[in-house]
Amino acid sequence: MKILVRATNWVGDAVMCIPALEAIRRRQPAAEVAVLARPWVADLYRGLTCVDRAIPFEHNGRHAGIGGRERLAAELRREQFDVCILLQNAFEAAWIAWRAGIPERIGYARDARSWLLTRPIPLPLPGETPAHEAFYYLELLRRAGWVEALPGTTEVRLPVAPEALDRAEKMLVDAGCRPGALRLAFATGAAYGTAKCWPAERYSALATRLIADYDADVVLFGSTSESETAARVLRGIERGAVNLVGRSAIGDLPALLARCNAFLGNDSGAMHVAGAVGLPIVAVFGPTDPHGTAPLASQLTIVQKPVACSPCFLRHCPIDHRCMTAVSVEMVLEAARACLHGIAGSSGAR
């Protein structure tokens, strides 16, 4: 059997899909499982044992526009997949699977796409499944008969090869990290929008305090689009900061984070990757709901100040960003100190 899985587009969502991919592998251990994903997501999946290969969906390149989508459908048609499972919700995902002639097409019945699916699955109603988004994807499989029951708890893990760790260590040292120093990964942006971002000057103050207290190296991670935010953070840090924002590929991120000792940042894709490689996490939440999108990690501290308008899930705050400005530097510093208890003073980089 050949199975095609259409992955989600956001890095954080892609990480939260991993339990569903593992469930598919358990259901069909001998099948060939391919994942169709945007290039940055495809790179994350390449080391997973539950996935045989990743197919890049080059939406801004050779697969751009109607002609490009038809080209992609033709490429998939030649593959002769038996079934397509749509973890992505979009109409386009179902349309491509339909145009590819895949005989069985399973996905949630939403976005006016039911007629393109051979098995349109009703959406779960509020309260029918656990709140966390990982169970949203697992519930699709349960309703399709691919899993018998939802797991009580689940944990997401991204394996990192030893050679990838070696490359990451060299990259970090070449960028200015000290061998053996305590390394704190900071992700101060968020691809979804500015509403999820704690103020840059507060990250500067937090980093300055942690560098002084722990003689730590602070390493900033993020995409090229987050470079301006990173620059504002860096301007407020006197020493000990290394900027990798826009300077590393998403495929390198798991290994780079695994060579750090803890993660501090916003609700972001980097946060989920950090949790999946086993880092202790301190995450600042504001407009989103940690019950639904916090990383499934064993060492997690959420810093959040409840306000009446949160969660709103907006990309940009239309008022005064009170959910984030209400979170003080002292609140995050206290959480970071608790997280670092027992780590600082031990051997440095992982």
Side-chain angles (χ1 to χ4, degrees):
M1 175 180 282
K2 292 184 68 173
I3 301 170
L4 180 68
V5 180
R6 175 62 171 101
T8 54
N9 292 336
W10 299 98
V11 170
D13 292 343
V15 172
M16 289 187 283
C17 285
I18 290 175
L21 292 170
E22 293 171 338
I24 291 169
R25 172 59 74 200
R26 287 192 296 270
R27 167 78 178 191
Q28 297 287 350
E32 179 184 340
V33 179
V35 174
L36 177 65
R38 299 282 176 90
W40 55 86
V41 173
D43 284 344
L44 281 179
Y45 286 147
R46 294 189 194 280
L48 293 177
T49 57
C50 57
V51 172
D52 293 297
R53 59 193 173 102
I55 301 173
F57 176 10
E58 299 175 20
H59 67 294
N60 288 328
R62 62 193 309 271
H63 299 140
I66 294 297
R69 302 305 194 263
E70 284 288 350
R71 184 178 297 111
L72 174 60
E75 292 168 2
L76 297 174
R77 191 179 306 117
R78 288 192 291 270
E79 293 266 8
Q80 296 186 318
F81 287 103
D82 299 292
V83 58
C84 180
I85 298 174
L86 305 174
L87 300 181
Q88 194 203 19
N89 293 318
F91 177 90
E92 178 190 73
W95 185 85
I96 290 172
W98 173 68
R99 290 293 294 155
I102 300 174
E104 186 173 10
R105 303 179 297 278
I106 301 169
Y108 277 125
R110 55 176 298 168
D111 291 72
R113 67 183 191 169
S114 293
W115 64 279
L116 295 169
L117 304 173
T118 58
R119 297 197 62 188
I121 305 298
L123 280 167
L125 298 174
E128 286 188 335
T129 61
H132 199 278
E133 191 171 328
F135 293 100
Y136 175 80
Y137 307 114
L138 287 164
E139 177 67 6
L140 172 67
L141 300 179
R142 190 193 71 79
R143 294 187 176 203
W146 283 54
V147 298
E148 292 185 4
L150 296 180
T153 57
T154 188
E155 186 177 4
V156 176
R157 298 296 299 186
L158 271 173
V160 183
E163 56 270 23
L165 288 172
D166 291 342
R167 289 195 303 271
E169 178 65 17
K170 184 178 186 304
M171 188 182 301
L172 287 163
V173 171
D174 289 348
C177 288
R178 297 168 294 165
L182 182 75
R183 292 180 190 157
L184 305 180
F186 273 45
T188 61
Y192 185 77
T194 58
K196 292 167 65 171
C197 297
W198 197 45
E201 64 273 11
R202 299 193 185 185
Y203 273 116
S204 300
L206 175 68
T208 299
R209 296 282 294 276
L210 291 172
I211 290 168
D213 291 350
Y214 296 96
D215 190 30
D217 286 343
V218 166
V219 187
L220 272 64
F221 292 96
S223 64
T224 302
S225 64
E226 297 160 19
S227 297
E228 184 179 340
T229 299
R232 294 202 307 272
V233 174
L234 288 167
R235 282 197 291 270
I237 304 175
E238 293 182 2
R239 65 171 185 87
V242 173
N243 184 15
L244 288 183
V245 174
R247 301 178 185 177
S248 60
I250 189 68
D252 297 325
L253 185 59
L256 288 167
L257 288 171
R259 298 302 294 174
C260 297
N261 298 93
F263 172 92
L264 300 96
N266 304 318
D267 175 12
S268 63
M271 173 193 71
H272 286 279
V273 175
V277 298
L279 281 193
I281 292 174
V282 175
V284 182
F285 271 73
T288 52
D289 183 4
H291 292 97
T293 60
L296 292 168
S298 58
Q299 301 179 75
L300 171 66
T301 304
I302 301 293
V303 184
Q304 186 177 34
K305 187 73 171 179
V307 296
C309 54
S310 175
C312 68
F313 301 103
L314 296 176
R315 289 175 180 260
H316 307 284
C317 180
I319 50 173
D320 56 8
H321 210 194
R322 65 189 64 177
C323 62
M324 281 303 199
T325 58
V327 176
S328 68
V329 173
E330 289 298 328
M331 290 170 62
V332 184
L333 182 63
E334 181 181 356
R337 285 172 173 160
C339 170
L340 293 173
H341 181 71
I343 298 177
S346 64
S347 59
R350 297 157 65 93

